[in-house]
Amino acid sequence: MPLLTLEEYKSIARDLVLPTGAYINGAFRPAQSGNTFVTANPATGQPLANIAACDAQDVDSAVHHARRSFDQGVWAARDPAERKEVLIRLVKLMTRDQHRLAVMESLDSGKTIYDCQTVDVPEAINCLKWHAETCDKIYDQTAPASEDHMAIIIREPIGVVGLVLPWNFPLLMLAWKIAPALAAGCSVVVKPAEETSLTALYVAELASEAGLPAGVLNVLPGGGEAVGEPIGRHADVDMVSFTGSTATGKRFLTYAAESNAKEVVLEMGGKNPAIVMDDAPNLDVVAQHIVNGAFWNMGENCSAVSRLLVHHAVRDALLQRVEHHMQQWNLGDPLDPLTRVGALVSPDHYAKVKGYLDQATIVIGGRVETHAIAPTVIAVENNSDALAQEEIFGPVLSVITIGSIEEGISLANQTTYGLCASVFTTNIKQALQAARRVKAGTVTVNCFGEGNISTPFGGYKQSGFGGRDNGIHAHDQYTQLKTIWIDLADDHDESIA
């Protein structure tokens, strides 16, 4: 999508009318308590709006309307081709308002307008379009049965789902979840992160404009204890899909166990390794991938390259090239399209990341400003060090020297996480062996990435389980499988007649 000028983005920002209410049953409304919270611009600290602070009362209301819409079949029972048309209209409305969405996302999260305009908004739109097109293209099955029977296996929408979003990719993660859930025919209750609620609320309004029936998409801003936990414990929520920290994700398992044993899908943290061998192709290109993987979105990315496991023979040469490419990642006004590194999402998160830097041996970078931290490379002597094990979630790359592919694989797997990994080598046999042996949901070879909309995304170990985002596989978590067994045999017992 085309970038505008700083002046044009500022003009859009001045004219924005920000959504502030909860979105329940097709309309904005205040929280039943009347409470609000302030959402602020992370780059300036200035308030943007007072947002409805929802609680369990609002969860009950949203779930009630979601359940009613589902049971009445206003969306779930609609012809799949009709559901597709509604979602395509939503895609067109988001495309119409792409610049407004990008500015809203940047102001609310501290993300650069460059990333919002070139990555987050277009990928969110593409995600919705891709899943919309699956509505009438996913076939049911028949199973092999005898001549006297027919077995039909069908997918049915799972029901009312709770979708709990992270603050690092507010719009994109909204799309990753609502697109397959709505395509499957579910009714949803979305809890955006408290820090970043604006684009989810705006998209809900656009969805109603596109023709989505009232009650099918509800958005409840508010805190984790006030909104997230009541969703997780609600007896009329059939399934929860959560993206966020591992510690919070685990709580949803407790909520499910202590309520209605609802299904839970978790996509959580990562401490992702990039193994660079001494035969890696073109160290300059490798450095570009490492820098992009480590510092894109200020490192606030669960799939970020956070551990560089580099062979001692190429360590110094690679770091020289890393330093060269880091110079292009400048701090600045997030609304300036020339800025590549924006503000960290909140003062608390800024303090957390800075606290890690205070105990680190800095090799490159380390500049700290009021709301932002420049891309930084640190040296780590031992993979068991907290800097190599804990998810910093900031623009910080830990470097560990290795001597062999075996050591690289071993260190890569010595973590509680298993989301993503990369391996750089010209030896294809070595690359494929490493890709198979590294315990991660996505392994890239000679590049950094997450695949694309057609490939499932999720992790091993404490990076998550229960399902995958993206691809056809994303629909599995929002559907139930039902077997219909039909007896075709003639009645051979004439005495029954």
Side-chain angles (χ1 to χ4, degrees):
M1 292 183 175
L3 288 165
L4 305 180
T5 65
L6 173 60
E7 291 70 26
E8 288 172 313
Y9 285 124
K10 286 185 174 180
S11 176
I12 293 171
R14 284 192 297 269
D15 294 338
L16 279 179
V17 177
L18 300 177
T20 59
Y23 200 81
I24 300 175
N25 198 35
F28 285 115
R29 60 186 68 187
Q32 292 188 44
S33 67
N35 293 333
T36 63
F37 65 91
V38 176
T39 187
N41 183 341
T44 65
Q46 295 300 310
L48 291 170
N50 292 317
I51 308 293
C54 296
D55 60 21
Q57 299 177 84
D58 304 292
V59 173
D60 285 341
S61 175
V63 172
H64 166 75
H65 289 293
R67 173 58 62 192
R68 185 173 66 179
S69 73
F70 184 79
D71 290 345
Q72 290 177 347
V74 296
W75 183 249
R78 186 173 290 191
D79 187 294
E82 294 179 7
R83 292 205 302 267
K84 177 179 72 174
E85 290 304 315
V86 172
L87 294 177
I88 291 297
R89 286 198 292 271
L90 174 58
V91 165
K92 292 178 179 178
L93 292 172
M94 291 176 65
T95 302
R96 179 196 70 187
D97 293 351
Q98 60 181 282
H99 298 305
R100 190 177 302 174
L101 283 165
V103 171
M104 196 179 295
E105 189 85 326
S106 178
L107 292 175
D108 203 24
S109 67
K111 297 163 69 77
T112 66
I113 196 69
Y114 178 89
D115 283 347
C116 293
Q117 192 79 74
T118 64
V119 179
D120 296 55
V121 173
E123 288 197 6
I125 291 172
N126 182 57
C127 177
L128 279 157
K129 182 179 180 181
W130 196 92
H131 286 289
E133 291 291 353
T134 68
C135 284
D136 56 0
K137 297 177 181 65
I138 298 180
Y139 287 75
D140 291 327
Q141 301 168 311
T142 59
S146 72
E147 286 296 311
D148 294 332
H149 301 89
M150 175 175 286
I152 304 173
I153 302 168
I154 64 172
R155 290 182 178 87
E156 294 182 342
I158 198 168
V160 174
V161 300
L163 305 176
V164 183
L165 310 181
W167 48 253
N168 58 333
F169 290 97
L171 179 63
L172 186 54
M173 294 302 101
L174 173 74
W176 276 24
K177 294 190 185 298
I178 67 170
L182 293 177
C186 298
S187 292
V188 304
V189 177
V190 176
K191 184 217 169 296
E194 188 173 6
E195 297 88 344
T196 52
S197 303
L198 295 179
T199 49
L201 292 168
Y202 189 74
V203 168
E205 185 178 23
L206 292 182
S208 291
E209 184 180 346
L212 192 72
V216 175
L217 172 57
N218 308 274
V219 180
L220 302 180
E225 290 186 8
V227 179
E229 182 173 347
I231 288 175
R233 292 186 180 278
H234 205 290
D236 218 14
V237 172
D238 300 297
M239 175 262 183
V240 167
S241 178
F242 167 85
T243 295
S245 72
T246 299
T248 302
K250 290 178 178 180
R251 293 184 191 137
F252 280 93
L253 299 177
T254 299
Y255 304 155
E258 293 178 351
S259 57
N260 61 337
K262 60 178 61 65
E263 294 192 24
V264 178
V265 174
L266 302 177
E267 196 276 283
M268 303 184 291
K271 193 67 178 176
N272 311 293
I275 304 170
V276 180
M277 294 307 299
D278 54 348
D279 65 343
N282 194 335
L283 288 181
D284 191 63
V285 173
V286 173
Q288 292 181 57
H289 281 288
I290 296 298
V291 168
N292 183 55
F295 306 129
W296 169 49
N297 201 53
M298 293 77 70
E300 295 173 333
N301 182 9
C302 57
S303 63
V305 173
S306 53
R307 289 184 296 153
L308 174 58
L309 309 178
V310 56
H311 195 281
H312 62 80
V314 295
R315 178 187 186 277
D316 292 344
L318 178 60
L319 289 183
Q320 287 177 2
R321 289 164 173 81
V322 165
E323 183 173 15
H324 170 73
H325 288 290
M326 285 172 61
Q327 295 173 11
Q328 302 172 24
W329 291 69
N330 60 308
L331 296 173
D333 181 352
L335 281 184
D336 187 337
L338 298 179
T339 297
R340 295 303 308 277
V341 181
L344 295 179
V345 72
S346 68
D348 286 346
H349 187 60
Y350 169 88
K352 172 193 169 185
V353 176
K354 186 177 180 299
Y356 279 107
L357 285 187
D358 290 341
Q359 56 181 300
T361 301
I362 295 175
V363 177
I364 306 170
R367 183 161 63 96
V368 174
E369 296 192 357
T370 305
H371 302 285
I373 294 175
T376 302
V377 177
I378 62 176
V380 177
E381 295 298 324
N382 193 318
N383 190 62
S384 63
D385 191 291
L387 293 165
Q389 290 294 316
E390 297 176 8
E391 191 176 31
I392 298 173
F393 224 62
V396 181
L397 173 65
S398 301
V399 179
I400 301 173
T401 304
I402 60 173
S404 67
I405 188 66
E406 291 294 331
E407 184 181 9
I409 295 170
S410 175
L411 293 179
N413 287 333
Q414 288 177 28
T415 172
T416 59
Y417 298 110
L419 188 57
C420 295
S422 303
V423 57
F424 294 84
T425 175
T426 54
N427 185 327
I428 189 62
K429 182 177 179 180
Q430 180 172 253
L432 292 176
Q433 287 177 342
R436 286 189 169 188
R437 292 171 59 194
V438 171
K439 296 179 176 64
T442 298
V443 181
T444 58
V445 177
N446 293 330
C447 64
F448 163 76
E450 299 175 352
N452 64 14
I453 186 62
S454 69
T455 58
F457 181 84
Y460 289 19
K461 298 187 282 187
Q462 293 190 41
S463 285
F465 67 91
R468 291 290 189 264
D469 291 315
N470 289 341
I472 293 293
H473 305 81
H475 289 251
D476 294 344
Q477 60 188 310
Y478 301 111
T479 58
Q480 298 268 32
L481 288 180
K482 175 178 284 186
T483 296
I484 300 176
W485 185 264
I486 305 169
D487 188 345
L488 302 178
D490 293 331
D491 190 349
H492 298 294
D493 188 352
E494 296 183 359
S495 64
I496 297 178

